[in-house]
Amino acid sequence: MSPFRASVPLTRSWEHFEFTVDDGVATVTFDRPEKLNALTFDVYADLRDLVAELPHRGDVRVLVLTGKGRGFCSGGDVEEIIGELQKMDTAELLEFTRMTGAVVKAMRETPIPIIAAINGVAAGAGSVLALASDFRLLAESAKFAFLFTKVGLAGADMGSAYLLPRLVGLGRATELLMLGDKLPAARAEAIGLANRVVPDAELADEAAALARRLADGPALAYSTTKVLLTRELDSDLGSSIELEAITQALLMTAKDHKEFYAAWAAGRSPQWTGR
């Protein structure tokens, strides 16, 4: 556990999704399969808080997001969220929309790599959770759908209009966010939204293999790479080069870099510690 925790303890259990940690790999499984893992207010809040806690646990090097059953996540529950939103005033609505955005902000700002193993439909907010992840592995039957305009809201939600153009370009992002049409897995891979598409039966194994690779590798190097990718999205070249120079100089003093040289000199594979 991080030595820089305050007196508030880490959360021992999470009620609104399944959460496990196994040898450095944390897994969040959305577990409302009867509703294609539609989100509730509680799921949003728990995911926001969990992602914020992960770097302080000391036992997590990578996070996998996936869904139980036929879907990854179908977005906000129409009855439990959209129905309730009709009863709220402006201040309450703003509190809600800021909370949903805070989930994405936490996902992008955590130094822990996040893999979205998309086993079915990723729609609405579910598509943005996948978008906010660092890796997107899709089953062949998976589909994206940025459905916000389909319910009369702006296609720009939870940071989607910031993140999506940076992955697929402004033209394709405009089409996806404005029209809200379904995007099959093969097309998602073709335009750069998916890192890899695999047969449905192989998705869990592929996600596990990638998670294992990240967990067993030089975790400090991976985490700083994610941080720099996030920070440099809006940085000029000179600032980016300076930030990278400072980071590399610090990592040259790290144990993993010294371990690489020792392993190279000894003709063996490095034993990474993430330090």
Side-chain angles (χ1 to χ4, degrees), residues 152-170:
L153 297 175
D157 192 32
M158 296 172 60
S160 59
Y162 178 90
L163 294 171
L164 191 58
R166 287 163 169 79
L167 276 179
V168 303
L170 178 61

Side-chain angles (χ1 to χ4, degrees), residues 171-214:
R172 291 192 177 99
T174 300
E175 178 184 353
L176 292 171
L177 294 180
M178 195 172 293
L179 300 181
D181 293 337
K182 290 182 180 178
L183 182 71
R187 180 61 177 160
E189 184 178 33
I191 67 174
L193 185 52
N195 295 92
R196 196 180 314 156
V197 175
V198 301
D200 289 23
E202 298 176 15
L203 178 65
D205 289 342
E206 289 286 337
L210 178 57
R212 186 77 271 138
R213 178 178 177 181
L214 291 168

Side-chain angles (χ1 to χ4, degrees), residues 227-249:
V227 169
L228 292 180
L229 284 167
T230 300
R231 293 290 173 237
E232 293 180 35
L233 283 173
D234 300 309
S235 177
D236 62 83
L237 178 60
S239 299
S240 295
I241 289 174
E242 178 65 10
L243 182 58
E244 292 179 12
I246 292 170
T247 302
Q248 292 293 56

Side-chain angles (χ1 to χ4, degrees), residues 14-52:
W14 299 89
E15 297 180 11
H16 304 292
F17 42 67
E18 293 181 3
F19 176 69
T20 61
V21 179
D22 181 18
D23 195 19
V25 178
T27 303
V28 165
T29 304
F30 302 119
D31 60 353
R32 304 180 75 216
E34 72 284 358
K35 292 196 172 185
L36 294 178
N37 300 313
L39 301 170
T40 66
F41 295 119
D42 291 329
V43 175
Y44 274 120
D46 272 7
L47 187 58
R48 173 201 60 195
D49 294 346
L50 169 65
V51 173

